Amino acid sequence: MGDRHIVFFDYEERVDNEIKSTGRVKVELFNDICPKVCKCVESFFMGSVRVEGTPVGYKDCKFFDIQKNFYIMSGDFISNDGTGTTSIYDSPTFVPDETCERFEHTAAGLFGLVGITDDCQVGCQFYITLSEATEFDGINSVCGRIVSGITQLMEIEENSEVQITQCGRWS
């Protein structure tokens, strides 16, 4: 487990256009268990994917779904509303998902990619559990866990606007 990669994101929470809070979240990726999924996630955290010469990734993404005490979702840098998806691989999704059936969503602080098809294909959107989320079992793909910052994420309000302001690989 010592060779697992750590990525991070900084975020800003706004309510009524005023900054309410800021924070940093660190995510340990399970690259030893699901290397393809983690390579995709890490590429988007680092902004190393380019479209027409412009870096794309999680920087400036909004949290498009905030369900207090349940989960938060982000990572749609295509549309910023939960409708866009892409992958670093040849198609918008990649198959087979490496972890969909392997992990149960039994606790807060799990990080994963959102399943976008019935057979658990995933793209770029991610979620973080804020509590047990067994509804996600067999649908979404756990590929990491929060190692720092989960307490602050749990304080985010549903009516907030939350945006990732910086992200990358933690050295």
Side-chain angles (χ1 to χ4, degrees), residues 77-118:
F77 52 83
I78 306 297
S79 309
N80 253 328
D81 62 6
T83 62
T85 192
T86 191
S87 170
I88 64 169
Y89 300 101
D90 291 335
S91 66
T93 61
F94 46 96
V95 184
D97 172 67
E98 298 164 294
T99 65
C100 193
E101 300 298 327
R102 193 175 295 179
F103 293 106
E104 295 180 347
H105 295 80
T106 57
L110 297 176
F111 178 93
L113 292 182
V114 177
I116 57 172
T117 64
D118 290 341

Side-chain angles (χ1 to χ4, degrees), residues 19-124:
I19 295 176
K20 179 181 177 194
S21 68
T22 60
R24 170 166 284 167
V25 176
K26 294 180 190 172
V27 181
E28 176 188 51
L29 296 177
F30 300 157
N31 50 289
D32 56 330
I33 298 170
C34 46
K36 288 167 105 180
V37 172
C38 290
K39 180 179 179 185
C40 190
V41 169
E42 190 168 357
S43 295
F44 293 137
F45 268 102
M46 294 177 62
S48 59
V49 177
R50 299 200 182 278
V51 173
E52 297 177 5
T54 303
V56 295
Y58 295 144
K59 185 174 189 243
D60 297 327
C61 275
K62 295 181 180 178
F63 283 79
F64 58 82
D65 193 359
I66 301 169
Q67 301 295 319
K68 189 146 177 81
N69 301 317
F70 189 29
Y71 66 85
I72 54 177
M73 288 186 182
S74 184
D76 176 7
F77 52 83
I78 306 297
S79 309
N80 253 328
D81 62 6
T83 62
T85 192
T86 191
S87 170
I88 64 169
Y89 300 101
D90 291 335
S91 66
T93 61
F94 46 96
V95 184
D97 172 67
E98 298 164 294
T99 65
C100 193
E101 300 298 327
R102 193 175 295 179
F103 293 106
E104 295 180 347
H105 295 80
T106 57
L110 297 176
F111 178 93
L113 292 182
V114 177
I116 57 172
T117 64
D118 290 341
D119 59 351
C120 209
Q121 296 178 21
V122 294
C124 59

